[in-house]
Amino acid sequence: KKRKPVGMSRSAVLGAGQMGCGIALCLARDAAVDVAVFDSQPARLDAARAWVAQYLDKQVARSKLARTDADSAQRRMHWALRAEEAVGEAHLVIEAVPEVLDVKQALFHSIEPALPADAVLASNTSSLSITRLAAATAR
């Protein structure tokens, strides 16, 4: 049985590339958390939605996931072309945009006014300084 993390019912993933899709899918499927996926490029968002549907269908076909669980995961995923819309009610926000400090900082700065006061802001960076990323916010 899927269990939501205590106190978290809504999340957001910023960036619908390979990493962002994977993170969003884990939140929706494994943690049973609603997740808004943001990307500024409509084609990338459409591709992400198609990838998720195809991936879940394969999992069902291989008997690794029940159809009802796949459908539930898809219902938990929401798609947004505006970052502020994606983060507005999120308890957890994870950025998964390209590994460019200026891009990540600009994103953090732009979404900060829309973030709930108690939202946790996280990064998928593998090489950039978290301290430098956080400097773009007042958090």
Side-chain angles (χ1 to χ4, degrees):
K1 181 175 170 149
K2 307 291 183 209
R3 291 181 34 184
K4 288 184 184 180
V6 175
M8 186 170 75
S9 61
R10 182 95 174 153
S11 62
V13 174
L14 309 177
Q18 185 175 5
M19 292 301 295
C21 267
I23 293 165
L25 182 57
C26 286
L27 287 164
R29 182 194 61 201
D30 301 334
V33 171
D34 284 352
V35 57
V37 181
F38 157 76
D39 203 288
S40 62
Q41 298 178 19
R44 187 171 291 149
L45 216 52
D46 290 342
R49 188 182 337 216
W51 179 85
V52 166
Q54 183 180 34
Y55 177 84
L56 291 172
D57 285 345
K58 283 181 184 177
Q59 294 293 296
V60 170
R62 293 176 180 158
S63 299
K64 294 187 177 212
L65 187 67
R67 171 51 57 196
T68 55
D69 291 337
D71 292 345
S72 293
Q74 282 192 295
R75 279 192 303 274
R76 288 186 197 103
M77 297 182 80
H78 312 280
W79 309 91
L81 288 168
R82 293 186 49 239
E84 299 81 7
E85 176 186 324
V87 304
E89 298 177 16
H91 298 107
L92 172 65
V93 176
I94 303 170
E95 72 75 18
V97 298
E99 279 295 276
V100 178
L101 181 63
D102 293 343
V103 171
K104 291 179 184 282
Q105 285 178 326
L107 180 62
F108 278 5
H109 181 73
S110 72
I111 64 167
E112 188 171 22
L115 286 173
D118 61 347
V120 173
L121 185 56
S123 175
N124 186 51
T125 188
S126 60
S127 63
L128 300 175
S129 164
I130 294 295
T131 303
R132 291 182 70 191
L133 287 175
T137 74
R139 293 177 171 252

